[in-house]
Amino acid sequence: MWQTLDLPEGSRVELFGATIEMSTFGHPDHARPLNCLCRAMDGYLVGTGYAAYMAMTVVHGRSAWIPDVCVAPREPEEALTEDGLGFAASAVKLVVEVVSPGHENQQRDRVRKRRAYAGAGIPVYVLIDDHDNHGTVTVLTSPSPDEGTYAAETRAPYGTEVEIPEGPAKGFAITEKITGRRQG
């Protein structure tokens, strides 16, 4: 059903079980760090068998999300669901969200997607958050799918280099070049 919705231009739909959420995308403040991160990460992943993808659907059970960036096999056919709607969550090694302004958007990225990605067993979740204490990068690892939580969390202000601790992107650094300077 979600594929047949007639959406306004610049919108996307995600499924959280039985709940359908629509959001907009395309603002330059949102796109700038994503483009920089995706280009740099894709280059970093050369030779690993993985690639960085922007706005690719990730499917787990009856849920379908569109993370801002995800890391999955470089040959996408290896990771697609049977129906070809997107990557199976089990093939995704990392997801990144740039938190959008507004309470509802922040709740989606900080709470609902955190729970959903952990519940799907996605090993690494990165939040780039302009709206948290003048800008922070949070790296979540060690998902507990049964609890929908991540056991490990590293949180650092913009301007501090944060490395991905595991998976194909292990050692990739999220720097001020990606996030911009600390705000405020």
Side-chain angles (χ1 to χ4, degrees):
M1 179 183 103
W2 64 279
Q3 290 182 299
T4 63
L5 294 173
D6 186 23
L7 298 174
E9 190 171 327
S11 298
R12 66 181 176 186
V13 169
E14 296 177 296
L15 298 173
F16 290 83
T19 304
I20 297 174
E21 291 191 20
M22 183 175 73
S23 59
T24 59
F25 60 92
H27 192 276
D29 289 342
H30 192 86
R32 191 175 308 112
L34 288 174
N35 289 328
C36 185
L37 176 115
C38 196
R39 281 191 303 271
M41 188 173 280
D42 202 44
Y44 186 86
L45 292 168
V46 169
T48 66
Y50 288 87
Y53 297 88
M54 289 182 70
M56 183 70 172
T57 302
V58 175
V59 179
H60 179 70
R62 298 185 62 153
S63 295
W65 316 289
I66 305 171
D68 291 326
V69 174
C70 71
V71 171
R74 188 166 291 278
E75 299 300 325
E77 299 76 28
E78 298 174 23
L80 291 176
T81 57
E82 283 185 31
D83 55 14
L85 293 177
F87 288 136
S90 60
V92 175
K93 303 304 178 192
L94 176 144
V95 289
V96 178
E97 297 288 354
V98 172
V99 178
S100 298
H103 178 74
E104 205 44 48
N105 293 326
Q106 292 169 11
Q107 287 297 105
R108 183 185 59 248
D109 291 339
R110 294 177 186 159
V111 178
R112 291 188 298 277
K113 283 195 171 182
R114 180 180 184 148
R115 188 177 316 123
Y117 294 152
I122 295 174
V124 180
Y125 180 24
V126 178
L127 282 154
I128 297 173
D129 195 342
D130 283 355
H131 314 286
D132 180 22
N133 196 24
H134 306 291
T136 61
V137 175
T138 303
V139 178
L140 301 157
T141 58
S142 302
S144 177
D146 292 339
E147 297 172 16
T149 61
Y150 284 94
E153 177 177 325
T154 300
R155 209 164 154 262
Y158 283 7
T160 304
E161 188 172 292
V162 180
E163 284 191 6
I164 303 300
E166 62 183 74
K170 180 179 182 176
F172 177 82
I174 299 171
T175 65
E176 188 175 290
K177 186 175 179 182
I178 293 168
T179 63
R181 292 188 175 166
R182 187 158 171 80
Q183 303 166 5

